[in-house]
Amino acid sequence: KFLVASACFLLAAKCLDEPIPLDILVEWYIFLESKRISSSAKVDISDYKKQDYSLRIQEQEFDILCEIGFDTDVELPNKFIAQFAASPAGKTIFTSPNCTKFAYMFLNDSFMTTCPLFFTPKEIAAACLYMAHLYITANGSKGSGSSSKGDLENHEWLKDIDEELDLSAITEVK
């Protein structure tokens, strides 16, 4: 029951756009399992145990998804990139579609990482836009997507995606 509960909790957190680190969930699972066996037992949270229980929880999550026919509603970062690109700030900062093109490329790559497990779609979208800007700036592509006026350096553009975003969070996602 703890395994199913942990997998349900992990899946619910993802669906509510509040992803939790799997390591934390695994540590709690090991702690509860140890205390269930013996309330006075010393809790052993080794790396091997973490990896084993992590796989168990992920497999159980997959089983739950199979059972419900993968019928979940998970918010994706794509819409936040599109909304920002269409906003007045987005049109000022990104003067051509190249920046959004690169942002979508970084976004697609993020799905092959653990990023969606640890960060919200808004954070991922902002990081992808920021990385696209850095990529274009580093390659010196004048006129290919970034303007010097209203640039990303003032960090106010993050507020157009989400009021709570700051550059340190975006840097962590990046």
Side-chain angles (χ1 to χ4, degrees):
K1 66 183 174 185
F2 290 125
L3 180 61
V4 173
S6 298
C8 288
F9 189 70
L10 180 64
L11 183 59
K14 288 178 186 176
C15 291
L16 290 175
D17 190 22
E18 295 293 331
I20 56 170
L22 188 57
D23 287 348
I24 293 172
L25 186 61
V26 168
E27 287 175 10
W28 275 102
Y29 176 79
I30 293 170
F31 176 79
L32 291 173
E33 186 69 20
S34 297
K35 291 300 178 184
R36 181 186 65 82
I37 294 169
S38 171
S39 61
S40 62
K42 182 181 177 208
V43 180
D44 172 34
I45 303 179
S46 66
D47 286 340
Y48 175 77
K49 241 185 185 177
K50 278 185 183 180
Q51 186 177 12
D52 181 46
Y53 283 97
S54 177
L55 288 173
R56 287 184 191 185
I57 291 172
Q58 289 172 331
E59 287 173 357
Q60 186 63 49
E61 179 192 28
F62 185 76
D63 289 345
I64 292 168
L65 283 168
C66 287
E67 191 64 33
I68 63 173
F70 288 86
D71 187 18
T72 60
D73 186 20
V74 178
E75 198 167 36
L76 297 173
N78 305 48
K79 77 176 187 178
F80 299 110
I81 292 175
Q83 285 172 352
F84 180 74
S87 74
K91 288 178 181 175
T92 302
I93 294 171
F94 304 124
T95 56
S96 89
N98 277 344
C99 196
T100 52
K101 178 181 106 177
F102 288 124
Y104 282 120
M105 287 171 52
F106 287 125
L107 175 65
N108 288 336
D109 290 344
S110 77
F111 293 133
M112 301 194 57
T113 70
T114 58
C115 237
L117 299 175
F118 298 105
F119 303 105
T120 67
K122 289 179 182 180
E123 291 172 326
I124 294 171
C128 290
L129 287 162
Y130 187 66
M131 288 189 303
H133 168 74
L134 293 177
Y135 179 78
I136 288 170
T137 304
N139 287 326
S141 306
K142 289 194 173 196
S144 67
S146 179
S147 68
S148 58
K149 187 178 181 184
D151 216 76
L152 296 182
E153 304 312 317
N154 67 15
H155 313 303
E156 288 301 312
W157 65 277
L158 292 169
K159 304 302 179 208
D160 287 344
I161 297 175
D162 188 354
E163 285 293 320
E164 297 178 13
L165 285 177
D166 64 358
L167 191 61
S168 63
I170 299 311
T171 304
E172 185 179 345
V173 177
K174 179 180 74 120

